């Protein structure tokens, strides 16, 4: 009995220290330099608190292309890239048919009768931080994701999540799917009912989106009892309106600025809530972005900075027409999605054409010197003389049977613009699109900063190392030693 009592006492004394709650915040299309551009305009409790109390990795880069929302959210939480987690873009081909990253026709909406509810993480091939937390705690950890965008709620929360909630734009309500549960939790229904005035407005292009998302996240703290015991929980939050407004209006315009100011105010309120509900120093927060953004051509040319635009849709139409004139077969290109062009290989084979000849002609036609620096055919990537860094990003971003065979690398400064009145965009390897913020604050985090280059894929292994749990199964990133060494030796 004495030996048993000693063993029990020793087990209690040796209990691993972990934060009660991990909060991941992704600000869609937030460039790294915004941390400093807005610094003097922010209040003390939000972004300023993160920077003044936390640790900023000031040289965090996305280590693959294309730099788009779904791939970014998946990569942050899996610690790997599209080549492994399979989210090749916001939209891509799956089994020969176009799909979105989280579309799932086998599930039904909960809280909605529309197709907006048919969403799940089934297209994601790797585990996430939340999945690993579940596995490490015998599935006692609570994992919840919230965002306006469906993919920004679903992918970060992972496969084993207790819930993911996103906006049905037509119904003006936050919803989920039967992948997670058969009925909306009372706290979500209550939020929808009590915030009808807020949800009735334009959540995509105004401060309302940031307010609604952060307030729903706050409601989840009590609704899901997050951070209330020794088992660490995870709350994933993504701010979608910063991206939507930038796409429509550009960077650093009053409408976009107002969203960041509101987000700053909401972060201050949220951190104060965490202090009271979870306990100051008992939670770990990281804030990052899924990608950056490129300034618009009118803005840049107005200041005599070299820039340019390229229209993928027009390039797709023109190239298909030229291929038909050359080979006598229409629509040899099947689709274009986010710098990826898909050959219709079945059609090519049916007409007895040589696949490589069609691909080579498409590459030639798409190579417009002023706008496009390279067009690569992944079937023969070894033939291209490319900088090693770019080649690695291409390989990491390519998922066979999901990505397009041809990939466009625009000339530096050139961005994709689908319509004349469009605002900012992203998707390229450039610093504008791939340099993102990464600030960590709270449990086990020292105050400071580092300019050492780290990758988006380093976030997940860092968090997992701090929690003393296995990194996600496809993880290729490395734990940030400046953070992990401090947290384990404090």
């Amino acid at each position: 009995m004495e030996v048993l009592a000693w063993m029990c006492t020793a087990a209690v004394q040796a209990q691993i220290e972990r934060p009660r709650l991990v909060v991941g915040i992704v600000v869609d299309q937030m460039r790294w330099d915004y941390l400093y551009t807005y610094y003097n305009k922010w209040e003390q409790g939000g972004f300023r608190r993160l920077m003044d109390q936390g640790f900023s990795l000031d040289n965090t880069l996305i280590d693959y292309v294309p730099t788009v929302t779904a791939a970014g959210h998946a990569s942050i939480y899996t610690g790997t890239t599209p080549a492994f987690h399979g989210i090749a873009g916001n939209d891509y081909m799956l089994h020969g048919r176009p799909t979105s990253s989280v579309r799932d026709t086998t599930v039904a909406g909960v809280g909605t009768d529309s197709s907006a509810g048919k969403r799940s993480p089934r297209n994601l091939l790797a585990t996430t931080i939340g999945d690993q937390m579940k596995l490490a705690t015998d599935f006692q950890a609570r994992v919840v994701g919230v965002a306006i965008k469906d993919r920004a709620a679903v992918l970060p929360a992972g496969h084993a999540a207790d819930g993911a909630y996103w906006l049905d734009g037509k119904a003006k309500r936050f919803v989920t799917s039967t992948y997670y549960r058969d009925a909306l939790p009372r706290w979500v229904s209550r939020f929808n009912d009590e915030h009808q005035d807020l949800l009735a407005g334009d959540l995509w292009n105004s401060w309302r989106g940031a307010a609604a998302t952060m307030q729903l996240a706050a409601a989840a703290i009590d609704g899901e009892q997050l951070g209330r015991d020794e088992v660490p929980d995870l709350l994933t939050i993504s701010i979608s309106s910063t991206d939507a407004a930038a796409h429509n209006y550009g960077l650093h315009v009053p409408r976009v600025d107002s969203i960041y100011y509101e987000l700053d105010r909401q972060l201050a309120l949220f951190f104060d809530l965490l202090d009271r509900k979870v306990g100051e120093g008992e939670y770990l927060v990281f804030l990052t972005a899924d990608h950056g953004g490129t300034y618009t051509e009118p803005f840049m040319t107005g200041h005599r900075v070299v820039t340019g635009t390229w229209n993928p849709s027009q390039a797709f139409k023109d190239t298909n027409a030229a291929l038909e004139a050359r080979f006598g077969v229409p629509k040899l290109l099947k689709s274009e999605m986010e710098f990826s062009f898909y050959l219709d290989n079945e059609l090519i084979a049916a007409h007895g054409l040589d696949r490589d000849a069609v691909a080579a002609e498409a590459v030639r036609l798409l190579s417009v010197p002023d706008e496009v620096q390279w067009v690569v055919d992944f079937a023969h990537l070894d033939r291209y003389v490319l900088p090693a860094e770019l080649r690695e990003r291409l390989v990491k971003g390519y998922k066979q049977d999901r990505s397009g065979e041809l990939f466009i690398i625009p000339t530096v400064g050139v961005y994709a613009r689908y319509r004349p009145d469009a605002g900012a965009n992203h998707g390229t390897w450039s610093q504008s699109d791939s340099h993102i913020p990464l600030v960590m604050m709270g449990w086990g985090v020292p105050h400071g900063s580092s300019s050492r280059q780290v990758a988006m894929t380093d976030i997940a292994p860092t968090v997992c190392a701090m929690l003393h749990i296995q990194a996600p199964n496809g993880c290729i990133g490395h734990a940030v030693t400046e953070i992990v060494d401090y947290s384990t030796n404090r």
Side-chain angles (χ1 to χ4, degrees):
M1 292 293 291
E2 291 181 0
V3 174
L4 181 60
W6 176 84
M7 291 176 63
C8 291
T9 302
V12 171
Q13 291 176 343
Q15 186 174 14
I16 297 172
E17 290 188 17
R18 290 173 171 142
R20 292 177 178 269
L21 176 65
V22 178
V23 179
I25 304 171
V26 179
V27 185
D28 206 320
Q29 202 177 149
M30 182 177 179
R31 293 162 51 111
W32 163 78
D33 57 350
Y34 286 7
L35 290 174
Y36 300 95
T37 300
Y38 289 108
Y39 184 84
N40 291 329
K41 298 179 181 179
W42 278 325
E43 303 297 330
Q44 293 295 324
F47 281 102
R48 287 281 289 268
R49 179 176 173 182
L50 276 170
M51 297 181 69
D52 294 346
Q53 295 183 14
F55 196 97
S56 181
L57 282 305
D58 284 335
N59 197 15
T60 303
L61 300 179
I62 300 174
D63 49 349
Y64 61 86
V65 286
T67 50
V68 296
T69 295
H73 283 80
S75 298
I76 289 167
Y77 286 91
T78 63
T80 192
T81 67
F84 298 98
H85 62 57
I87 304 302
N90 296 320
D91 302 283
Y92 48 85
M93 290 291 182
L94 186 62
H95 307 307
R97 296 182 178 182
T99 188
S100 77
S101 56
V102 292
R103 183 182 302 154
D104 185 351
T105 57
T106 70
V107 301
V110 174
T112 177
D113 294 326
S114 77
S115 60
K118 295 180 179 294
R119 305 290 184 263
S120 87
R122 287 197 173 105
N123 291 340
L124 181 66
L125 302 179
T127 62
T128 63
I129 297 172
D131 293 332
Q132 297 303 138
M133 290 173 68
K134 287 280 191 178
L135 290 164
T137 62
D138 196 23
F139 293 87
Q140 295 181 64
R142 303 286 294 172
V143 178
V144 177
V146 298
I148 290 177
K149 289 183 181 179
D150 49 16
R151 55 190 178 269
V154 170
L155 296 171
H159 300 275
D162 297 283
Y165 305 97
W166 58 93
L167 183 74
D168 180 336
K170 292 184 178 179
K172 302 289 186 179
R173 296 172 61 84
F174 282 96
V175 302
T176 189
S177 79
T178 52
Y179 178 88
Y180 303 99
R181 55 180 68 232
D182 295 327
L184 276 182
R186 272 192 282 181
W187 67 269
V188 179
S189 295
R190 184 166 58 250
F191 181 90
N192 285 330
D193 293 340
E194 294 178 354
H195 294 79
Q196 290 183 19
D197 290 344
L198 177 63
L199 300 178
D202 181 3
L203 271 65
W204 293 101
N205 295 290
S206 77
W207 60 269
R208 290 172 175 267
T213 305
M214 291 306 304
Q215 289 175 30
L216 181 65
I221 298 297
D222 279 337
E224 297 287 342
Q225 293 291 290
L226 300 177
R228 301 303 170 86
D229 55 32
E230 300 303 319
V231 178
D233 300 319
L234 174 66
L235 175 61
T236 73
I237 306 167
S238 184
I239 307 301
S240 307
S241 51
T242 45
D243 178 76
H247 276 302
N248 286 322
Y249 300 100
L251 307 180
H252 288 321
V253 296
R255 184 182 291 263
V256 174
D257 291 345
S258 68
I259 299 174
Y260 278 95
Y261 299 147
E262 177 63 20
L263 175 57
D264 180 53
R265 190 178 77 86
Q266 291 292 334
L267 286 174
L269 295 172
F270 185 70
F271 294 151
D272 181 65
L273 174 72
L274 293 180
D275 289 342
R276 291 183 284 108
K277 297 286 187 177
V278 181
E280 189 170 0
E282 296 293 334
Y283 58 89
L284 168 64
V285 174
F286 69 84
L287 183 142
T288 188
D290 53 346
H291 54 74
T294 297
Y295 283 97
T296 63
E297 182 185 32
F299 176 85
M300 296 294 268
T301 55
H303 293 278
R304 297 175 296 183
V305 180
V306 177
T307 186
T309 62
W310 173 73
N311 188 325
S313 295
Q314 191 61 50
F316 175 75
K317 294 175 183 177
D318 293 345
T319 303
N320 250 341
L323 289 174
E324 182 179 0
R326 167 74 184 275
F327 296 101
V329 180
K331 299 181 179 179
L332 290 172
L333 288 178
K334 192 172 186 177
S335 181
E336 64 84 12
M337 298 178 184
E338 298 165 348
F339 302 97
S340 283
F341 282 64
Y342 294 78
L343 296 170
D344 193 329
N345 290 301
E346 291 183 2
L347 185 64
I348 291 171
H351 285 81
L353 300 176
D354 181 88
R355 181 265 177 208
D356 285 356
V358 174
E361 180 64 6
V363 167
R364 186 188 71 79
L365 292 166
L366 288 166
S367 299
V368 183
D370 291 340
E371 301 170 355
V372 176
Q373 191 162 4
W374 288 285
V375 183
V376 299
D377 178 1
F378 275 105
H380 302 290
L381 186 60
D382 58 312
R383 298 178 182 176
Y384 295 87
V385 179
L386 298 168
E389 172 65 23
L390 180 55
R391 181 183 297 275
E392 183 175 350
R393 294 193 193 193
L394 285 165
V395 171
K396 286 181 177 179
Y398 176 74
K399 177 60 178 174
Q400 190 173 7
D401 299 325
R402 293 193 181 190
S403 300
E405 298 98 320
L406 310 181
F407 192 83
I408 310 297
I409 301 106
T411 303
V412 174
V414 172
Y415 67 100
R417 185 167 69 172
Y418 287 86
R419 64 179 199 270
D421 62 337
N425 210 343
H426 52 85
T428 75
W429 64 269
S430 75
Q431 283 270 325
S432 297
D433 295 351
S434 67
H435 191 184
I436 56 174
L438 174 55
V439 187
M440 303 186 73
M441 181 189 78
W443 188 93
V445 179
H447 171 56
S449 64
S450 173
S451 59
R452 181 174 69 85
Q453 182 172 316
V454 298
M456 170 187 274
T457 48
D458 295 335
I459 298 171
T462 300
V463 173
C464 290
M466 295 176 74
L467 295 175
H468 298 282
I469 64 174
Q470 183 70 33
N473 59 9
C475 183
I476 62 171
H478 306 279
V480 177
T481 55
E482 293 92 330
I483 304 293
V484 174
D485 289 351
Y486 180 87
S487 70
T488 56
N489 295 297
R490 58 190 187 131

